[in-house]
Amino acid sequence: DGSLWATGLNRFGQLGVQQNAGTWVPNPTPLRIASELGGSAIIDFSAGSRHSLVLTHDGSLWSFGSNGRGQLGVSLMAGVWGSTVWRPQKVMLAQSAKFVRISAGGTHSLAQTEDLRVWGFGNNVDGQLGSADLYGDWDWSPLLVGLNTEGLAPPFDSSTTVVGID
């Protein structure tokens, strides 16, 4: 039925459910997160170190977990280290666009829109958002990383970003 299930530690709300969120109590039994968000079916997900991203059929991007470095792409609890955001939050861009690919890094996130633009948000301490202006800092609002990329590869760790292969 397209449901998304998760197990494990939910210390930062990264499982997208309230059960044991904010605690060190693990969830060894699979928990149903959802089969849809905002009325649209879930088609992809990506898990970072302390946060998760979910992509729905209508091109919406949802995030939950720690937002200590803005990696959720929303202002809620941004910059509050150890924050717990267990209820999925919708990531919005200034202009209307549909997301087609997502990738969660250690403390940053990347998302590609149907026009092949790649957006990054979260930690940029090592330049992983592709923004020299923000080098050594972080931002919760999605920043344009690059144009006309062929694809989006998953971040390999908290300081590496691959935005495309030519």
mmCIF file of all heavy atoms in Angstrom, residues 15-66:
data_model
loop_
_atom_site.group_PDB
_atom_site.id
_atom_site.type_symbol
_atom_site.label_atom_id
_atom_site.label_comp_id
_atom_site.label_asym_id
_atom_site.label_seq_id
_atom_site.Cartn_x
_atom_site.Cartn_y
_atom_site.Cartn_z
ATOM 1 N N LEU A 15 12.376 9.183 13.053
ATOM 2 C CA LEU A 15 11.491 8.140 12.527
ATOM 3 C C LEU A 15 10.153 8.713 12.058
ATOM 4 O O LEU A 15 9.365 8.015 11.428
ATOM 5 C CB LEU A 15 11.243 7.050 13.575
ATOM 6 C CG LEU A 15 12.474 6.286 14.065
ATOM 7 C CD1 LEU A 15 12.053 5.173 15.009
ATOM 8 C CD2 LEU A 15 13.302 5.753 12.916
ATOM 9 N N GLY A 16 9.884 9.963 12.380
ATOM 10 C CA GLY A 16 8.660 10.602 11.916
ATOM 11 C C GLY A 16 7.409 10.229 12.691
ATOM 12 O O GLY A 16 6.302 10.426 12.212
ATOM 13 N N VAL A 17 7.593 9.670 13.877
ATOM 14 C CA VAL A 17 6.470 9.314 14.745
ATOM 15 C C VAL A 17 6.786 9.786 16.166
ATOM 16 O O VAL A 17 7.945 10.022 16.513
ATOM 17 C CB VAL A 17 6.203 7.788 14.762
ATOM 18 C CG1 VAL A 17 5.733 7.307 13.390
ATOM 19 C CG2 VAL A 17 7.426 7.011 15.211
ATOM 20 N N GLN A 18 5.757 9.888 16.990
ATOM 21 C CA GLN A 18 5.951 10.378 18.352
ATOM 22 C C GLN A 18 6.514 9.324 19.301
ATOM 23 O O GLN A 18 7.176 9.660 20.281
ATOM 24 C CB GLN A 18 4.631 10.910 18.896
ATOM 25 C CG GLN A 18 4.783 11.632 20.221
ATOM 26 C CD GLN A 18 3.500 12.275 20.688
ATOM 27 O OE1 GLN A 18 2.424 11.982 20.194
ATOM 28 N NE2 GLN A 18 3.627 13.173 21.649
ATOM 29 N N GLN A 19 6.302 8.048 19.007
ATOM 30 C CA GLN A 19 6.725 6.982 19.915
ATOM 31 C C GLN A 19 8.215 7.050 20.221
ATOM 32 O O GLN A 19 9.050 6.977 19.319
ATOM 33 C CB GLN A 19 6.378 5.615 19.334
ATOM 34 C CG GLN A 19 6.678 4.487 20.308
ATOM 35 C CD GLN A 19 6.088 3.172 19.840
ATOM 36 O OE1 GLN A 19 5.058 3.131 19.186
ATOM 37 N NE2 GLN A 19 6.774 2.093 20.159
ATOM 38 N N ASN A 20 8.550 7.217 21.494
ATOM 39 C CA ASN A 20 9.918 7.305 22.006
ATOM 40 C C ASN A 20 10.728 8.460 21.431
ATOM 41 O O ASN A 20 11.954 8.478 21.549
ATOM 42 C CB ASN A 20 10.670 5.985 21.803
ATOM 43 C CG ASN A 20 10.083 4.857 22.615
ATOM 44 O OD1 ASN A 20 9.538 5.085 23.694
ATOM 45 N ND2 ASN A 20 10.156 3.655 22.098
ATOM 46 N N ALA A 21 10.079 9.442 20.815
ATOM 47 C CA ALA A 21 10.794 10.618 20.308
ATOM 48 C C ALA A 21 11.381 11.388 21.481
ATOM 49 O O ALA A 21 10.743 11.560 22.517
ATOM 50 C CB ALA A 21 9.850 11.517 19.505
ATOM 51 N N GLY A 22 12.612 11.816 21.333
ATOM 52 C CA GLY A 22 13.282 12.577 22.380
ATOM 53 C C GLY A 22 13.854 11.724 23.497
ATOM 54 O O GLY A 22 14.320 12.252 24.496
ATOM 55 N N THR A 23 13.841 10.398 23.321
ATOM 56 C CA THR A 23 14.387 9.501 24.347
ATOM 57 C C THR A 23 15.485 8.636 23.741
ATOM 58 O O THR A 23 15.694 8.624 22.525
ATOM 59 C CB THR A 23 13.292 8.569 24.924
ATOM 60 O OG1 THR A 23 12.960 7.576 23.940
ATOM 61 C CG2 THR A 23 12.049 9.343 25.324
ATOM 62 N N TRP A 24 16.163 7.901 24.605
ATOM 63 C CA TRP A 24 17.184 6.960 24.151
ATOM 64 C C TRP A 24 16.635 5.540 24.089
ATOM 65 O O TRP A 24 17.382 4.577 24.009
ATOM 66 C CB TRP A 24 18.403 7.017 25.071
ATOM 67 C CG TRP A 24 19.148 8.308 24.930
ATOM 68 C CD1 TRP A 24 19.082 9.371 25.768
ATOM 69 C CD2 TRP A 24 20.046 8.677 23.889
ATOM 70 N NE1 TRP A 24 19.890 10.398 25.306
ATOM 71 C CE2 TRP A 24 20.496 9.994 24.151
ATOM 72 C CE3 TRP A 24 20.518 8.033 22.745
ATOM 73 C CZ2 TRP A 24 21.383 10.666 23.331
ATOM 74 C CZ3 TRP A 24 21.420 8.715 21.927
ATOM 75 C CH2 TRP A 24 21.836 10.004 22.219
ATOM 76 N N VAL A 25 15.294 5.404 24.104
ATOM 77 C CA VAL A 25 14.647 4.098 24.043
ATOM 78 C C VAL A 25 14.489 3.692 22.578
ATOM 79 O O VAL A 25 13.836 4.394 21.804
ATOM 80 C CB VAL A 25 13.266 4.129 24.742
ATOM 81 C CG1 VAL A 25 12.580 2.779 24.629
ATOM 82 C CG2 VAL A 25 13.410 4.556 26.200
ATOM 83 N N PRO A 26 15.083 2.575 22.162
ATOM 84 C CA PRO A 26 14.978 2.157 20.756
ATOM 85 C C PRO A 26 13.597 1.600 20.417
ATOM 86 O O PRO A 26 12.824 1.237 21.296
ATOM 87 C CB PRO A 26 16.044 1.068 20.626
ATOM 88 C CG PRO A 26 16.189 0.524 21.997
ATOM 89 C CD PRO A 26 15.906 1.663 22.950
ATOM 90 N N ASN A 27 13.306 1.556 19.137
ATOM 91 C CA ASN A 27 12.069 0.981 18.611
ATOM 92 C C ASN A 27 12.450 -0.212 17.741
ATOM 93 O O ASN A 27 12.642 -0.072 16.535
ATOM 94 C CB ASN A 27 11.313 2.020 17.781
ATOM 95 C CG ASN A 27 10.827 3.173 18.618
ATOM 96 O OD1 ASN A 27 9.894 3.033 19.393
ATOM 97 N ND2 ASN A 27 11.483 4.313 18.499
ATOM 98 N N PRO A 28 12.569 -1.421 18.325
ATOM 99 C CA PRO A 28 12.989 -2.595 17.551
ATOM 100 C C PRO A 28 11.891 -3.145 16.650
ATOM 101 O O PRO A 28 12.187 -3.858 15.698
ATOM 102 C CB PRO A 28 13.381 -3.607 18.626
ATOM 103 C CG PRO A 28 12.574 -3.216 19.822
ATOM 104 C CD PRO A 28 12.416 -1.719 19.749
ATOM 105 N N THR A 29 10.648 -2.791 16.928
ATOM 106 C CA THR A 29 9.533 -3.257 16.109
ATOM 107 C C THR A 29 9.209 -2.185 15.075
ATOM 108 O O THR A 29 9.120 -1.008 15.417
ATOM 109 C CB THR A 29 8.287 -3.513 16.995
ATOM 110 O OG1 THR A 29 8.649 -4.446 18.005
ATOM 111 C CG2 THR A 29 7.140 -4.040 16.175
ATOM 112 N N PRO A 30 9.029 -2.556 13.807
ATOM 113 C CA PRO A 30 8.723 -1.551 12.775
ATOM 114 C C PRO A 30 7.498 -0.696 13.125
ATOM 115 O O PRO A 30 6.477 -1.213 13.572
ATOM 116 C CB PRO A 30 8.462 -2.398 11.527
ATOM 117 C CG PRO A 30 9.233 -3.646 11.760
ATOM 118 C CD PRO A 30 9.120 -3.901 13.241
ATOM 119 N N LEU A 31 7.648 0.610 12.940
ATOM 120 C CA LEU A 31 6.579 1.572 13.178
ATOM 121 C C LEU A 31 6.123 2.142 11.850
ATOM 122 O O LEU A 31 6.952 2.537 11.022
ATOM 123 C CB LEU A 31 7.075 2.717 14.071
ATOM 124 C CG LEU A 31 7.615 2.341 15.448
ATOM 125 C CD1 LEU A 31 8.269 3.548 16.099
ATOM 126 C CD2 LEU A 31 6.501 1.790 16.306
ATOM 127 N N ARG A 32 4.826 2.189 11.640
ATOM 128 C CA ARG A 32 4.292 2.765 10.403
ATOM 129 C C ARG A 32 4.349 4.280 10.509
ATOM 130 O O ARG A 32 3.747 4.872 11.388
ATOM 131 C CB ARG A 32 2.851 2.316 10.177
ATOM 132 C CG ARG A 32 2.272 2.787 8.864
ATOM 133 C CD ARG A 32 0.860 2.206 8.683
ATOM 134 N NE ARG A 32 0.305 2.549 7.409
ATOM 135 C CZ ARG A 32 -0.489 3.597 7.216
ATOM 136 N NH1 ARG A 32 -0.806 4.394 8.210
ATOM 137 N NH2 ARG A 32 -0.965 3.851 6.012
ATOM 138 N N ILE A 33 5.105 4.890 9.624
ATOM 139 C CA ILE A 33 5.196 6.346 9.600
ATOM 140 C C ILE A 33 3.960 6.898 8.902
ATOM 141 O O ILE A 33 3.226 7.685 9.455
ATOM 142 C CB ILE A 33 6.484 6.820 8.888
ATOM 143 C CG1 ILE A 33 7.695 6.349 9.690
ATOM 144 C CG2 ILE A 33 6.483 8.318 8.710
ATOM 145 C CD1 ILE A 33 9.004 6.618 9.019
ATOM 146 N N ALA A 34 3.754 6.475 7.673
ATOM 147 C CA ALA A 34 2.602 6.934 6.895
ATOM 148 C C ALA A 34 2.604 6.217 5.557
ATOM 149 O O ALA A 34 3.594 5.622 5.156
ATOM 150 C CB ALA A 34 2.674 8.441 6.661
ATOM 151 N N SER A 35 1.481 6.295 4.847
ATOM 152 C CA SER A 35 1.441 5.809 3.476
ATOM 153 C C SER A 35 1.314 7.005 2.543
ATOM 154 O O SER A 35 1.522 6.892 1.344
ATOM 155 C CB SER A 35 0.271 4.841 3.267
ATOM 156 O OG SER A 35 -0.945 5.479 3.554
ATOM 157 N N GLU A 36 0.983 8.147 3.129
ATOM 158 C CA GLU A 36 0.905 9.382 2.351
ATOM 159 C C GLU A 36 1.139 10.556 3.289
ATOM 160 O O GLU A 36 0.997 10.453 4.503
ATOM 161 C CB GLU A 36 -0.438 9.528 1.652
ATOM 162 C CG GLU A 36 -1.623 9.600 2.583
ATOM 163 C CD GLU A 36 -2.931 9.769 1.828
ATOM 164 O OE1 GLU A 36 -3.152 9.053 0.838
ATOM 165 O OE2 GLU A 36 -3.715 10.612 2.256
ATOM 166 N N LEU A 37 1.547 11.656 2.705
ATOM 167 C CA LEU A 37 1.712 12.905 3.434
ATOM 168 C C LEU A 37 1.065 13.994 2.606
ATOM 169 O O LEU A 37 1.275 14.056 1.393
ATOM 170 C CB LEU A 37 3.189 13.224 3.671
ATOM 171 C CG LEU A 37 3.893 12.341 4.687
ATOM 172 C CD1 LEU A 37 5.393 12.589 4.652
ATOM 173 C CD2 LEU A 37 3.358 12.615 6.081
ATOM 174 N N GLY A 38 0.262 14.827 3.226
ATOM 175 C CA GLY A 38 -0.414 15.886 2.490
ATOM 176 C C GLY A 38 -1.353 15.351 1.430
ATOM 177 O O GLY A 38 -1.607 16.009 0.429
ATOM 178 N N GLY A 39 -1.834 14.109 1.604
ATOM 179 C CA GLY A 39 -2.758 13.526 0.649
ATOM 180 C C GLY A 39 -2.102 12.901 -0.571
ATOM 181 O O GLY A 39 -2.769 12.489 -1.513
ATOM 182 N N SER A 40 -0.762 12.805 -0.578
ATOM 183 C CA SER A 40 -0.055 12.243 -1.722
ATOM 184 C C SER A 40 0.797 11.050 -1.273
ATOM 185 O O SER A 40 1.397 11.073 -0.199
ATOM 186 C CB SER A 40 0.829 13.314 -2.366
ATOM 187 O OG SER A 40 1.410 12.844 -3.555
ATOM 188 N N ALA A 41 0.862 10.023 -2.125
ATOM 189 C CA ALA A 41 1.597 8.803 -1.802
ATOM 190 C C ALA A 41 3.096 9.052 -1.682
ATOM 191 O O ALA A 41 3.671 9.856 -2.413
ATOM 192 C CB ALA A 41 1.348 7.747 -2.877
ATOM 193 N N ILE A 42 3.737 8.333 -0.765
ATOM 194 C CA ILE A 42 5.185 8.406 -0.585
ATOM 195 C C ILE A 42 5.858 7.592 -1.684
ATOM 196 O O ILE A 42 5.493 6.447 -1.921
ATOM 197 C CB ILE A 42 5.568 7.866 0.806
ATOM 198 C CG1 ILE A 42 5.005 8.786 1.890
ATOM 199 C CG2 ILE A 42 7.074 7.727 0.931
ATOM 200 C CD1 ILE A 42 5.145 8.246 3.295
ATOM 201 N N ILE A 43 6.868 8.196 -2.338
ATOM 202 C CA ILE A 43 7.571 7.494 -3.414
ATOM 203 C C ILE A 43 9.063 7.315 -3.149
ATOM 204 O O ILE A 43 9.718 6.523 -3.815
ATOM 205 C CB ILE A 43 7.364 8.170 -4.784
ATOM 206 C CG1 ILE A 43 7.877 9.608 -4.779
ATOM 207 C CG2 ILE A 43 5.896 8.107 -5.186
ATOM 208 C CD1 ILE A 43 7.919 10.253 -6.154
ATOM 209 N N ASP A 44 9.630 8.070 -2.182
ATOM 210 C CA ASP A 44 11.054 7.934 -1.895
ATOM 211 C C ASP A 44 11.334 8.468 -0.497
ATOM 212 O O ASP A 44 10.557 9.247 0.051
ATOM 213 C CB ASP A 44 11.883 8.705 -2.928
ATOM 214 C CG ASP A 44 13.347 8.276 -2.965
ATOM 215 O OD1 ASP A 44 13.708 7.278 -2.294
ATOM 216 O OD2 ASP A 44 14.133 8.938 -3.653
ATOM 217 N N PHE A 45 12.455 8.042 0.066
ATOM 218 C CA PHE A 45 12.893 8.537 1.364
ATOM 219 C C PHE A 45 14.410 8.503 1.417
ATOM 220 O O PHE A 45 15.066 7.807 0.628
ATOM 221 C CB PHE A 45 12.307 7.699 2.506
ATOM 222 C CG PHE A 45 12.883 6.320 2.590
ATOM 223 C CD1 PHE A 45 13.955 6.056 3.430
ATOM 224 C CD2 PHE A 45 12.386 5.299 1.817
ATOM 225 C CE1 PHE A 45 14.508 4.784 3.488
ATOM 226 C CE2 PHE A 45 12.924 4.023 1.870
ATOM 227 C CZ PHE A 45 13.996 3.767 2.709
ATOM 228 N N SER A 46 14.970 9.276 2.343
ATOM 229 C CA SER A 46 16.407 9.277 2.566
ATOM 230 C C SER A 46 16.649 9.571 4.040
ATOM 231 O O SER A 46 16.007 10.452 4.608
ATOM 232 C CB SER A 46 17.085 10.343 1.688
ATOM 233 O OG SER A 46 18.487 10.302 1.855
ATOM 234 N N ALA A 47 17.562 8.818 4.645
ATOM 235 C CA ALA A 47 17.853 8.993 6.066
ATOM 236 C C ALA A 47 19.240 9.573 6.257
ATOM 237 O O ALA A 47 20.216 9.082 5.683
ATOM 238 C CB ALA A 47 17.745 7.651 6.784
ATOM 239 N N GLY A 48 19.318 10.642 7.042
ATOM 240 C CA GLY A 48 20.594 11.241 7.414
ATOM 241 C C GLY A 48 21.014 10.727 8.773
ATOM 242 O O GLY A 48 20.471 9.740 9.281
ATOM 243 N N SER A 49 21.949 11.393 9.390
ATOM 244 C CA SER A 49 22.436 10.981 10.699
ATOM 245 C C SER A 49 21.358 11.093 11.773
ATOM 246 O O SER A 49 21.160 10.177 12.560
ATOM 247 C CB SER A 49 23.641 11.839 11.081
ATOM 248 O OG SER A 49 24.067 11.562 12.381
ATOM 249 N N ARG A 50 20.656 12.235 11.797
ATOM 250 C CA ARG A 50 19.634 12.479 12.805
ATOM 251 C C ARG A 50 18.355 13.050 12.208
ATOM 252 O O ARG A 50 17.552 13.646 12.917
ATOM 253 C CB ARG A 50 20.170 13.447 13.868
ATOM 254 C CG ARG A 50 21.349 12.909 14.622
ATOM 255 C CD ARG A 50 21.891 13.916 15.589
ATOM 256 N NE ARG A 50 22.932 13.294 16.394
ATOM 257 C CZ ARG A 50 23.635 13.940 17.298
ATOM 258 N NH1 ARG A 50 23.417 15.212 17.525
ATOM 259 N NH2 ARG A 50 24.558 13.305 17.992
ATOM 260 N N HIS A 51 18.190 12.913 10.919
ATOM 261 C CA HIS A 51 16.986 13.436 10.266
ATOM 262 C C HIS A 51 16.631 12.562 9.066
ATOM 263 O O HIS A 51 17.440 11.765 8.607
ATOM 264 C CB HIS A 51 17.176 14.893 9.847
ATOM 265 C CG HIS A 51 18.088 15.091 8.674
ATOM 266 N ND1 HIS A 51 19.447 14.863 8.725
ATOM 267 C CD2 HIS A 51 17.827 15.498 7.413
ATOM 268 C CE1 HIS A 51 19.979 15.130 7.543
ATOM 269 N NE2 HIS A 51 19.022 15.509 6.720
ATOM 270 N N SER A 52 15.401 12.727 8.588
ATOM 271 C CA SER A 52 14.935 11.961 7.428
ATOM 272 C C SER A 52 14.177 12.876 6.479
ATOM 273 O O SER A 52 13.587 13.878 6.891
ATOM 274 C CB SER A 52 14.004 10.834 7.885
ATOM 275 O OG SER A 52 14.672 9.958 8.767
ATOM 276 N N LEU A 53 14.204 12.503 5.199
ATOM 277 C CA LEU A 53 13.476 13.210 4.154
ATOM 278 C C LEU A 53 12.518 12.235 3.481
ATOM 279 O O LEU A 53 12.856 11.063 3.312
ATOM 280 C CB LEU A 53 14.430 13.765 3.089
ATOM 281 C CG LEU A 53 15.549 14.686 3.551
ATOM 282 C CD1 LEU A 53 16.465 15.033 2.375
ATOM 283 C CD2 LEU A 53 14.985 15.948 4.179
ATOM 284 N N VAL A 54 11.356 12.729 3.075
ATOM 285 C CA VAL A 54 10.372 11.918 2.373
ATOM 286 C C VAL A 54 9.878 12.703 1.166
ATOM 287 O O VAL A 54 9.552 13.891 1.275
ATOM 288 C CB VAL A 54 9.179 11.553 3.292
ATOM 289 C CG1 VAL A 54 8.096 10.841 2.518
ATOM 290 C CG2 VAL A 54 9.648 10.705 4.461
ATOM 291 N N LEU A 55 9.809 12.043 0.010
ATOM 292 C CA LEU A 55 9.307 12.640 -1.225
ATOM 293 C C LEU A 55 7.962 11.998 -1.547
ATOM 294 O O LEU A 55 7.822 10.780 -1.479
ATOM 295 C CB LEU A 55 10.296 12.376 -2.367
ATOM 296 C CG LEU A 55 9.948 12.930 -3.740
ATOM 297 C CD1 LEU A 55 9.930 14.444 -3.731
ATOM 298 C CD2 LEU A 55 10.959 12.407 -4.766
ATOM 299 N N THR A 56 6.977 12.830 -1.890
ATOM 300 C CA THR A 56 5.657 12.302 -2.234
ATOM 301 C C THR A 56 5.389 12.435 -3.735
ATOM 302 O O THR A 56 6.072 13.189 -4.436
ATOM 303 C CB THR A 56 4.538 13.003 -1.434
ATOM 304 O OG1 THR A 56 4.587 14.404 -1.684
ATOM 305 C CG2 THR A 56 4.693 12.739 0.056
ATOM 306 N N HIS A 57 4.407 11.691 -4.213
ATOM 307 C CA HIS A 57 4.075 11.621 -5.628
ATOM 308 C C HIS A 57 3.796 12.989 -6.251
ATOM 309 O O HIS A 57 4.097 13.221 -7.430
ATOM 310 C CB HIS A 57 2.871 10.691 -5.835
ATOM 311 C CG HIS A 57 2.583 10.415 -7.268
ATOM 312 N ND1 HIS A 57 1.656 11.128 -7.986
ATOM 313 C CD2 HIS A 57 3.127 9.512 -8.126
ATOM 314 C CE1 HIS A 57 1.633 10.676 -9.228
ATOM 315 N NE2 HIS A 57 2.514 9.682 -9.338
ATOM 316 N N ASP A 58 3.253 13.922 -5.495
ATOM 317 C CA ASP A 58 2.950 15.254 -6.038
ATOM 318 C C ASP A 58 4.164 16.179 -6.077
ATOM 319 O O ASP A 58 4.070 17.332 -6.444
ATOM 320 C CB ASP A 58 1.805 15.912 -5.260
ATOM 321 C CG ASP A 58 2.167 16.266 -3.830
ATOM 322 O OD1 ASP A 58 3.292 15.948 -3.376
ATOM 323 O OD2 ASP A 58 1.311 16.868 -3.151
ATOM 324 N N GLY A 59 5.358 15.666 -5.710
ATOM 325 C CA GLY A 59 6.582 16.457 -5.759
ATOM 326 C C GLY A 59 6.852 17.250 -4.498
ATOM 327 O O GLY A 59 7.729 18.113 -4.478
ATOM 328 N N SER A 60 6.133 16.932 -3.430
ATOM 329 C CA SER A 60 6.371 17.619 -2.155
ATOM 330 C C SER A 60 7.499 16.939 -1.390
ATOM 331 O O SER A 60 7.683 15.727 -1.466
ATOM 332 C CB SER A 60 5.108 17.605 -1.287
ATOM 333 O OG SER A 60 4.082 18.342 -1.897
ATOM 334 N N LEU A 61 8.242 17.741 -0.638
ATOM 335 C CA LEU A 61 9.331 17.253 0.197
ATOM 336 C C LEU A 61 8.955 17.479 1.656
ATOM 337 O O LEU A 61 8.550 18.579 2.032
ATOM 338 C CB LEU A 61 10.625 17.996 -0.143
ATOM 339 C CG LEU A 61 11.833 17.754 0.748
ATOM 340 C CD1 LEU A 61 12.209 16.285 0.806
ATOM 341 C CD2 LEU A 61 13.009 18.590 0.260
ATOM 342 N N TRP A 62 9.080 16.432 2.458
ATOM 343 C CA TRP A 62 8.768 16.474 3.879
ATOM 344 C C TRP A 62 10.019 16.074 4.653
ATOM 345 O O TRP A 62 10.804 15.249 4.194
ATOM 346 C CB TRP A 62 7.624 15.523 4.199
ATOM 347 C CG TRP A 62 6.355 15.868 3.490
ATOM 348 C CD1 TRP A 62 6.035 15.578 2.190
ATOM 349 C CD2 TRP A 62 5.251 16.591 4.012
ATOM 350 N NE1 TRP A 62 4.790 16.069 1.894
ATOM 351 C CE2 TRP A 62 4.278 16.689 2.997
ATOM 352 C CE3 TRP A 62 4.969 17.155 5.258
ATOM 353 C CZ2 TRP A 62 3.068 17.335 3.178
ATOM 354 C CZ3 TRP A 62 3.756 17.798 5.448
ATOM 355 C CH2 TRP A 62 2.816 17.888 4.416
ATOM 356 N N SER A 63 10.199 16.653 5.849
ATOM 357 C CA SER A 63 11.373 16.344 6.660
ATOM 358 C C SER A 63 10.994 16.239 8.128
ATOM 359 O O SER A 63 9.996 16.813 8.570
ATOM 360 C CB SER A 63 12.431 17.436 6.463
ATOM 361 O OG SER A 63 11.925 18.704 6.867
ATOM 362 N N PHE A 64 11.804 15.490 8.881
ATOM 363 C CA PHE A 64 11.600 15.362 10.321
ATOM 364 C C PHE A 64 12.884 14.870 10.961
ATOM 365 O O PHE A 64 13.747 14.310 10.298
ATOM 366 C CB PHE A 64 10.428 14.436 10.651
ATOM 367 C CG PHE A 64 10.321 13.205 9.789
ATOM 368 C CD1 PHE A 64 10.962 12.035 10.139
ATOM 369 C CD2 PHE A 64 9.575 13.222 8.628
ATOM 370 C CE1 PHE A 64 10.861 10.898 9.347
ATOM 371 C CE2 PHE A 64 9.454 12.091 7.825
ATOM 372 C CZ PHE A 64 10.107 10.927 8.190
ATOM 373 N N GLY A 65 13.031 15.130 12.260
ATOM 374 C CA GLY A 65 14.233 14.757 13.006
ATOM 375 C C GLY A 65 14.901 15.993 13.576
ATOM 376 O O GLY A 65 14.259 17.005 13.834
ATOM 377 N N SER A 66 16.197 15.918 13.754
ATOM 378 C CA SER A 66 16.948 17.057 14.287
ATOM 379 C C SER A 66 17.037 18.169 13.244
ATOM 380 O O SER A 66 17.231 17.911 12.063
ATOM 381 C CB SER A 66 18.363 16.631 14.686
ATOM 382 O OG SER A 66 19.121 17.759 15.066
#
